């Protein structure tokens, strides 16, 4: 029930805030077409002359029946456009998270085991730089070095995975790397801190007293104990990276959700904007549910506390 209430309140706030922005779809369409048309005529044709609550209830009624409405700009179903663009953004975020997991989790474990040594300081300094450098700046550097300079990857554009998997991955390599850099810096620091606590715990000392190999203690026992931290961090990162794609998709000219989001804001395309916001809300709530389920599975104590 709380999920439905959150989704409802989010759509209400978005609908109200976008209507507070000066201008409207009629003015945007007239500006694009450069015709001498009365905005009131267009608003009446689009149904925008009705009270706000009536417009919202009409849109909400369509959502309940699986209809996100029709774009005011291109007269195309919003649901079709979202389903066409969402896989691009989802694949970009998924690749960034996978790349981060492959690099950051082992590095965080390694630095925790070598805490206080020179290599630990080097990794912490590098992670600090990764946190400080914005994704858009790193994206420009990657394009300049690996696309323009070395010619190893395409600078712009997108190829669907089903059409050419290799070309698809080559086009997404640079934007995924730009996203993964900041995410990896966060994961390294979080995993390092959690592993340091785990390695100093009583059960680790007991395992060492039993003569277990250090590698087994670190990778099997200590890392398993911090798995809930890793899952929680990656859940938050998945949500954060969805927002970061807005800038990177514009830089790399990727046909993801961000292009439609920016256009819908500029043109005051209310149905399109509402459909995109609702999609993001559903994704965020879904990620939270998955994280809660995963942490409960990994740590039964959390599940017992939730059921108590």
């Amino acid at each position: 029930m709380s999920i439905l209430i959150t989704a409802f309140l989010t759509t209400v706030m978005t609908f109200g805030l976008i209507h507070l922005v000066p201008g409207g779809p009629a003015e945007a369409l007239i500006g694009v077409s450069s015709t001498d048309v009365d905005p009131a005529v267009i608003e009446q044709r689009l149904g925008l002359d009705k009270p706000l609550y009536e417009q919202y209830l009409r849109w909400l009624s369509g959502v309940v029946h699986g209809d996100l409405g029709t774009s005011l700009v291109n007269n195309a179903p919003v649901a079709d456009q979202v389903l066409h663009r969402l896989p691009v953004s989802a694949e970009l975020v998924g690749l960034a998270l996978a790349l981060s997991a492959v690099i950051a989790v082992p590095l965080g474990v390694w630095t925790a085991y070598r805490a206080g040594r020179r290599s630990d300081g080097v990794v912490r300094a590098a992670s600090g730089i990764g946190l400080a450098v914005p994704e858009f700046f790193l994206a420009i550097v990657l394009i300049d070095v690996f696309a323009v300079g070395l010619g190893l990857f395409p600078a712009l554009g997108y190829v669907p995975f089903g059409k050419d998997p290799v070309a698809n991955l080559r086009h997404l390599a640079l934007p995924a790397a730009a996203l993964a850099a900041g995410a990896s810096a966060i994961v390294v620091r979080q995993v390092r801190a959690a592993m340091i606590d785990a390695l100093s715990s009583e059960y680790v000392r007991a395992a060492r007293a039993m003569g277990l190999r250090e590698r087994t203690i670190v990778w099997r026992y200590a890392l398993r104990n911090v798995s809930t931290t890793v899952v929680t961090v990656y859940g938050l990162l998945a949500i954060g990276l969805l927002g970061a794609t807005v800038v990177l998709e514009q830089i790399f000219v990727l046909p993801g959700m961000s292009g439609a989001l920016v256009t819908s804001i500029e043109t005051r395309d209310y149905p399109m904007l509402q459909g995109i916001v609702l999609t993001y809300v559903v994704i965020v709530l879904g990620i939270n549910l998955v994280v809660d389920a995963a942490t409960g599975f990994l740590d039964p104590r959390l599940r017992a506390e939730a059921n108590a």
Side-chain angles (χ1 to χ4, degrees), residues 2-14 59 86 239 242 257 273-289:
S2 60
I3 294 177
L4 296 178
I5 294 176
T6 301
F8 171 74
L9 293 177
T10 303
T11 57
V12 170
M13 292 179 60
T14 305
W59 174 83
L86 181 59
I239 296 172
L242 278 175
M257 295 282 284
L273 180 59
Q274 285 289 104
I276 294 174
V277 170
L278 181 61
T279 301
Y280 279 135
V281 170
V282 171
I283 292 174
V284 170
L285 295 177
I287 291 174
N288 288 330
L289 286 176

Side-chain angles (χ1 to χ4, degrees), residues 32 35 41 47 71 75 82 95 115 165 183 201 215 233 254 256 262 266 271 308:
V32 172
T35 58
V41 176
S71 172
N75 202 34
V82 170
L95 286 175
S201 61
R215 182 175 181 180
V233 170
L254 300 175
V262 173
E266 292 176 346

Side-chain angles (χ1 to χ4, degrees), residues 84-93 158 172 249 254-257:
H84 178 72
R85 291 175 174 270
L86 181 59
V88 181
S89 300
E91 185 183 4
L92 175 58
V93 172
Y158 174 78
L172 291 179
E249 286 180 3
L254 300 175
M257 295 282 284

